[in-house]
Amino acid sequence: MFEVKQADASLNKVETYQLLAEQLQALLSGEHNLIANAANMSALVYHQLPDLNWCGFYLFDGTELVLGPFQGKVACVRIALNRGVCGTAASTCQTQLVQDVHSFPGHIACDAASQSEIVVPLIKNGQLIGVWDVDSPKLARFDEEDRKGMQTLCEVFLASL
């Protein structure tokens, strides 16, 4: 059984994400199943980072994003490209860091408690496979260090596939 080391409150964000990346790499080592690895990444991040109310995957089916493994309340099942934060990240292939979701045009409110969001597009061999979506009930929860940290976690995830 894999034992997760709890992040020490004295760690800064960079150190916390380094620890998470190391743990994720160890957790996914030797496993190449997208669903299993997405489920474990969602659980690891949800239980290790503070002030999250949802994190998980939307997987691209060739037409739209479809809900994948996640942690948190029930979520929207399908999201069109160019719609909301996830659809924008998928269509532009650029990470979206949103300090206040209510100011994002077309934001999709799956959980009314969400106030800020970060979404990282998942690109493997030039192909969109989905997005990694993380929500917080706190305004401005995410910053550039979170962007870099989340992108690193997604790189570890993609390398496992």
Side-chain angles (χ1 to χ4, degrees):
M1 183 164 133
F2 187 83
E3 181 98 14
V4 174
K5 180 182 178 199
Q6 291 298 315
D8 185 329
S10 68
L11 298 178
N12 64 35
K13 276 189 183 183
V14 172
E15 293 165 332
T16 297
Y17 279 110
Q18 287 172 343
L19 176 61
L20 275 175
E22 291 168 8
Q23 291 179 334
L24 183 62
Q25 191 161 20
L27 182 61
L28 304 184
S29 179
E31 182 55 63
H32 304 290
N33 183 274
L34 184 141
I35 299 300
N37 288 351
N40 271 333
M41 179 169 158
S42 298
L44 177 69
V45 171
Y46 188 78
H47 292 286
Q48 288 291 87
L49 292 180
D51 302 317
L52 303 183
N53 62 322
W54 199 92
C55 71
F57 292 83
Y58 279 92
L59 304 173
F60 185 56
D61 71 357
T63 304
E64 61 190 346
L65 298 170
V66 181
L67 182 64
F70 71 93
Q71 297 281 308
K73 292 182 180 180
V74 297
C76 305
V77 176
R78 295 179 182 276
I79 299 175
L81 296 182
N82 295 310
R83 186 157 182 263
V85 182
C86 289
T88 299
S91 63
T92 64
C93 295
Q94 294 181 347
T95 298
Q96 301 295 305
L97 192 155
V98 181
Q99 301 291 335
D100 178 358
V101 296
H102 304 291
S103 67
F104 191 92
H107 173 255
I108 302 166
C110 293
D111 182 349
S114 293
Q115 299 293 316
S116 58
E117 185 171 8
I118 185 167
V119 180
V120 180
L122 302 169
I123 311 293
K124 177 91 174 176
N125 299 325
Q127 299 291 328
L128 175 69
I129 64 166
V131 298
W132 166 246
D133 180 20
V134 184
D135 294 2
S136 174
K138 290 182 70 175
L139 281 171
R141 159 63 179 85
F142 306 107
D143 60 20
E144 285 303 314
E145 288 179 0
D146 292 296
R147 177 195 303 263
K148 292 174 190 170
M150 292 290 181
Q151 289 174 329
T152 297
L153 294 176
C154 289
E155 290 168 9
V156 171
F157 171 77
L158 289 167
S160 75
L161 303 180

